[in-house]
Amino acid sequence: MNRDLPHKLTPEDIFLTAGCNQGIEIVFESLARPNANILLPRPGFPHYDARAAYSGLEVRKFDLLPEKEWEIDLEGSEAIADENTVAMVVINPNNPCGNVYSH
């Protein structure tokens, strides 16, 4: 992985989980703080919503646009983000829509 990265990874940068769900749980718990919100894609998977709620993160949804081959509605996502936004979930290639985002 280090071949094409400007900042090289070390063994301390690697964290293994027993699947994606555990990884999502750990990341969301690490982002949780009072008044924090997270941007999730719509359509998306309900596990993200459930984990965000369990971690006390407010969920804000940004749209994936079917008429633009499921690209992210960038203006819409910018409009819902604020100083309390701790993350935006971007899945590429996207699942469930199957697209690969353009540059």
Side-chain angles (χ1 to χ4, degrees):
M1 292 210 46
N2 279 335
R3 184 183 70 208
D4 298 322
L5 294 175
H7 303 286
K8 302 306 179 196
L9 295 173
T10 67
E12 290 77 28
D13 296 318
I14 308 300
F15 194 86
L16 296 177
T17 65
C20 290
N21 285 344
Q22 184 186 28
I24 293 165
E25 292 169 10
I26 292 167
V27 170
F28 281 27
E29 281 296 314
S30 70
L31 295 171
R33 62 176 172 75
N35 303 313
N37 66 68
I38 189 167
L39 308 183
L40 300 179
R42 179 179 36 220
F45 285 107
H47 182 71
Y48 288 97
D49 297 79
R51 275 314 304 184
Y54 185 82
S55 299
L57 295 166
E58 175 193 348
V59 171
R60 297 184 181 181
K61 298 286 185 123
F62 63 90
D63 290 317
L64 302 178
L65 305 171
E67 67 276 9
K68 294 187 176 181
E69 298 185 21
W70 300 103
E71 290 283 334
I72 295 171
D73 177 6
L74 294 175
E75 290 179 9
S77 61
E78 289 174 1
I80 61 173
D82 64 18
E83 67 277 356
N84 292 316
T85 302
V86 294
M88 177 180 184
V89 172
V90 177
I91 306 162
N92 191 36
N94 186 284
N95 193 357
C97 299
N99 68 314
V100 174
Y101 296 121
S102 65
H103 179 73

